[in-house]
Amino acid sequence: MTKDKLWTLGFINILAFDVMYQFGAYMTNTIIAVYAMGLGATYAIAGLLAGLNPGTSMAVRPITGFISDLMSKKTLLISSAVLFLAATLGCAVFDSLVLIGFCRILQGASFALRSVCVVSLASKVVPASKLGSGMGWMGLSSVVATAIGPMVSEKVGALVGYHTSFFIASCMLALCVVLALAFKVPASAEQDEERKERKARRNFSLARLRSELRLDSFIYRPNLIFTAMAGLSGVPQGISISLIILAAEQRGIEGATIFFTCYALASLIGRPLIGRISDAVGTRRIAIPLFGIELVSTILLMAMNNTVMIGVAALLLGIGQGSLYPVLQAEAVRSVDSAALGRAANTFYIGPDINMCLSPIIGSILLGSFGVTALYGFGCAAVLLAIILYGRWLIRHREQ
């Protein structure tokens, strides 16, 4: 790997893989509920099918982190793409809600596996001095997918049927399989990966597996504070994805969908830019201002009374939370030993997964019982707690 060069073939490959994978994932996640309703599902069943993907991801992350530190990351990357492709094709061809539910579980497991492999492999092809920039660019995959994928799947579904949306997503995932097969691990890292995989196959046994099943085999303890900060910081986004339209209607505001456009635009610009700044000045100097910007966005959403306020708040949230996420992610894998990289990357996702599962539930209860101010008061309190945790981390690491 060329010293301090970010845009290597390896990085372009893994970035392209993640963009295509997440595009396919967001295409399916957006339409699964309405697709299920068309097959005769109740609202409760449709909601369950929609939640099976993130719920499964959250449940299996400790296991995927454990597996990823025993096997080749490239092998697992290929497996994750094949698994999601098969599950998405299953959603397209099955009319049984039970079988579609099984496919959603497979998609969730694949998504968890992809997450840990992508971050681990990206850290191998990105020089340490460019890690913030690299993670910033990697973070754009979900931004692009969120901004475009749902619109494409909805338009295609409305015009020619949702089966076709699943087939288009499957084509993208097939390309992911090709990109995963083409990915080249740097020579030194590849030798370590092959050695580790041979050792794992040679030494594998049920007795060894039982001996490895302890908390530290699944969780990278130093990253617990990072996953907590990322999860808490993500609460305003988590509640907005599901509830911003309902919250706006409660205040008599139209055009709330501008939130998603503004958030995606701010994240699209902010993530790579903030990543470069964090590489130049360090995480500690950039994180607190980003937390502050996010806090202002939640206060604006608490007080929103027109569409402009929603748009401005979304822009600030995209700059603050949207850019902060990859900064924390880069810090979570920085200087982590290769043997623990899978667990370190995987542990980071636990908090965001919990947030995406629970925040909409808690938020809907608050919105229905106490209104918009309580909804975003919850988001504001979560950000304040994340700031407190970050301050604690700074105190503990002030000499490093």
Side-chain angles (χ1 to χ4, degrees):
M1 181 172 57
T2 304
K3 184 178 179 181
D4 292 339
K5 184 179 180 181
L6 175 61
W7 293 100
T8 61
L9 286 177
F11 179 70
I12 294 171
N13 188 318
I14 199 69
L15 178 61
F17 171 92
D18 207 42
V19 169
M20 298 302 295
Y21 184 104
Q22 297 229 41
F23 200 103
Y26 274 94
M27 283 189 69
T28 59
N29 290 341
T30 304
I31 62 171
I32 190 65
V34 66
Y35 179 63
M37 293 287 291
L39 295 175
T42 63
Y43 281 100
I45 295 299
L48 175 63
L49 291 175
L52 277 176
N53 188 322
T56 303
S57 293
M58 181 178 66
V60 305
R61 281 208 188 276
I63 299 172
T64 56
F66 171 69
I67 293 173
S68 70
D69 283 332
L70 291 178
M71 298 180 64
S72 163
K73 303 294 189 302
K74 178 178 176 177
T75 299
L76 295 176
L77 187 74
I78 296 169
S79 301
S80 71
V82 171
L83 188 62
F84 208 106
L85 171 60
T88 303
L89 284 172
C91 289
V93 300
F94 294 141
D95 290 329
S96 165
L97 295 174
V98 173
L99 291 176
I100 291 174
F102 177 71
C103 290
R104 291 292 288 167
I105 291 172
L106 292 181
Q107 286 180 329
S110 167
F111 200 86
L113 191 59
R114 173 216 63 89
S115 300
V116 65
C117 291
V118 164
V119 173
S120 298
L121 291 173
S123 67
K124 291 181 181 296
V125 296
V126 174
S129 62
K130 300 288 185 180
L131 191 57
S133 298
M135 291 304 174
W137 281 103
M138 292 300 299
L140 291 181
S141 57
S142 62
V143 175
V144 173
T146 304
I148 303 175
M151 178 181 64
V152 172
S153 60
E154 182 61 32
K155 292 293 184 183
V156 171
L159 289 173
V160 294
Y162 290 105
H163 285 282
T164 306
S165 293
F166 283 109
F167 279 119
I168 292 174
S170 298
C171 292
M172 294 182 177
L173 291 161
L175 180 57
C176 287
V177 175
V178 175
L179 289 169
L181 289 168
F183 182 78
K184 297 293 185 183
V185 181
S188 58
E190 185 174 22
Q191 292 174 1
D192 291 339
E193 291 279 293
E194 292 176 350
R195 191 182 308 113
K196 181 172 62 176
E197 191 168 13
R198 287 196 301 270
K199 184 179 179 180
R201 286 197 300 265
R202 185 173 62 250
N203 296 337
F204 180 81
S205 68
L206 291 178
R208 179 175 180 269
L209 182 60
R210 284 194 297 270
S211 70
E212 293 284 352
L213 294 180
R214 58 185 186 274
L215 183 62
D216 284 342
S217 298
F218 304 110
I219 302 295
Y220 186 71
R221 291 176 185 267
N223 275 1
L224 288 176
I225 193 165
F226 286 110
T227 192
M229 286 188 285
L232 290 166
S233 173
V235 168
Q237 184 209 20
I239 57 180
S240 295
I241 287 173
S242 301
L243 302 171
I244 185 65
I245 295 175
L246 291 176
E249 288 178 352
Q250 196 174 106
R251 290 273 174 92
I253 306 170
E254 296 182 354
T257 52
I258 194 175
F259 176 92
F260 303 104
T261 303
C262 290
Y263 178 89
L265 179 63
S267 296
L268 189 66
I269 297 172
R271 286 192 172 188
L273 177 61
I274 297 298
R276 292 187 64 181
I277 294 173
S278 70
D279 286 334
V281 304
T283 299
R284 302 177 192 194
R285 293 184 180 180
I286 200 68
I288 290 296
L290 293 177
F291 273 123
I293 293 171
E294 181 181 9
L295 192 60
V296 172
S297 75
T298 62
I299 294 172
L300 277 177
L301 289 168
M302 286 174 65
M304 64 180 176
N305 55 32
N306 57 59
T307 308
V308 173
M309 288 185 71
I310 294 177
V312 172
L315 287 170
L316 292 176
L317 188 64
I319 295 170
Q321 182 271 335
S323 300
L324 181 64
Y325 184 88
V327 169
L328 294 175
Q329 188 177 46
E331 195 66 30
V333 297
R334 196 183 302 276
S335 303
V336 175
D337 185 81
S338 178
L341 196 54
R343 282 179 295 126
N346 203 62
T347 299
F348 178 82
Y349 286 107
I350 294 175
D353 280 346
I354 293 174
N355 165 50
M356 295 306 293
C357 284
L358 298 184
S359 285
I361 298 173
I362 298 171
S364 63
I365 294 172
L366 292 172
L367 180 63
S369 301
F370 306 104
V372 177
T373 301
L375 172 66
Y376 283 103
F378 166 51
C380 187
V383 175
L384 284 171
L385 183 54
I387 293 172
I388 292 171
L389 289 177
Y390 187 71
R392 183 180 178 185
W393 181 82
L394 281 178
I395 292 171
R396 286 186 174 183
H397 297 81
R398 60 181 178 270
E399 296 180 356
Q400 296 183 8

